[in-house]
């Protein structure tokens, strides 16, 4: 994470969470599917809210009361996160008041927050366990890695996985110091 990006976000937000307004335990969050940690792709957010974004099971609606203000923020990444969380919380009254141009709305909808559960992209391992960004998995089969001259061996641990946001059958991770894409049918989530 760039120190310059964090400083610009802290300056932009007045050293407060751009969603809730709290001033403790702040982290930089890159708004998916963007990957470049530049201010135009990021928000400064409370760690607890970031965890709830990344894991819907942790959602506490009371923590998101600031959405009625943050949805009007002049910074697009803040608007995008506000839209997504309003969609997740099914707050259609506030969603109906928001305006995002076509490109911004496409960015907001990229994670499927506005879709019913059956329309969302859910990543599951070979046993049907739901996978999240940051989980650890183990390979259940030897895999020949295309474009690299090695085989990822059965039993190899892959830590801190990243979900491929538009494909429920793929995750990314590092095996033998190589960043690879792995099919979810060949992994088992570890506790």
């Amino acid at each position: 994470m760039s120190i310059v990006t964090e400083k610009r976000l802290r300056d932009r937000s007045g050293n407060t969470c751009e969603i809730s307004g709290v001033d403790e335990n702040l982290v930089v969050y890159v708004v998916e599917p963007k990957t470049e940690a530049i201010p135009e792709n990021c928000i400064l957010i409370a760690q607890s809210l970031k965890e709830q974004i990344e894991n819907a099971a942790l959602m506490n609606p009371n923590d998101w009361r600031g959405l009625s203000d943050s949805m009007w923020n002049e910074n697009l990444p803040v608007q995008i996160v506000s839209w997504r969380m309003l969609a997740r919380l099914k707050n259609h009254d506030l969603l109906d008041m928001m305006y995002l141009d076509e490109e911004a709305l496409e960015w907001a909808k990229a994670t499927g927050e506005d879709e019913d559960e059956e329309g969302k992209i859910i990543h599951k391992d070979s046993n049907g366990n739901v996978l999240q960004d940051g989980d650890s998995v183990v390979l259940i089969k030897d895999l020949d890695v295309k474009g690299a001259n090695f085989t990822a061996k059965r039993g190899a641990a892959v830590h801190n996985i990243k979900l491929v946001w538009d494909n429920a059958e793929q995750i990314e991770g590092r095996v033998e110091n190589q960043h690879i894409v792995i099919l979810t049918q060949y992994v088992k989530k570890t506790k």
Side-chain angles (χ1 to χ4, degrees), residues 8-75:
R8 286 186 53 200
L9 290 175
R10 286 184 177 277
D11 290 345
R12 177 175 91 185
S13 69
N15 280 321
T16 61
C17 172
E18 293 183 279
I19 301 294
S20 67
V22 302
D23 60 3
E24 295 178 347
N25 300 320
L26 302 176
V27 295
V28 174
Y29 173 68
V30 181
V31 182
E32 294 180 327
K34 308 288 187 186
T35 56
E36 189 179 6
I38 58 174
E40 296 77 17
N41 296 342
C42 301
I43 66 171
L44 192 66
I45 191 167
Q47 176 67 36
S48 62
L49 295 185
K50 178 180 182 281
E51 290 167 0
Q52 291 178 50
I53 289 171
E54 294 172 343
N55 185 353
L58 300 175
M59 281 295 288
N60 178 355
N62 286 332
D63 292 346
W64 296 93
R65 289 181 299 228
L67 290 172
S68 59
D69 292 326
S70 65
M71 65 187 262
W72 304 113
N73 191 292
E74 64 186 10
N75 298 294

Side-chain angles (χ1 to χ4, degrees), residues 86-87 89-97 114:
L86 287 170
L89 293 166
K90 301 192 182 335
N91 188 330
H92 297 290
D93 291 337
L94 291 179
L95 271 175
D96 289 344
M97 285 192 264
D114 63 317

Side-chain angles (χ1 to χ4, degrees), residues 1 15 23 26 29 31 37 39 50 54 65-66 75-76 84 92-93 98 112 116 120 123-124 127-129 139 145:
M1 186 62 54
N15 280 321
D23 60 3
L26 302 176
Y29 173 68
V31 182
K50 178 180 182 281
E54 294 172 343
R65 289 181 299 228
N75 298 294
L76 187 55
R84 288 178 182 171
H92 297 290
D93 291 337
M98 278 191 83
D116 291 332
K120 281 190 181 178
H123 294 73
K124 294 184 179 181
N127 294 329
N129 297 313
L139 300 181
V145 180

Side-chain angles (χ1 to χ4, degrees), residues 176-191:
E176 295 186 24
N177 291 323
Q178 294 280 332
H179 183 85
I180 63 172
V181 174
I182 306 166
L183 296 179
T184 55
Q185 65 189 1
Y186 300 127
V187 300
K188 178 174 70 172
K189 183 176 180 177
T190 59
K191 298 291 178 201

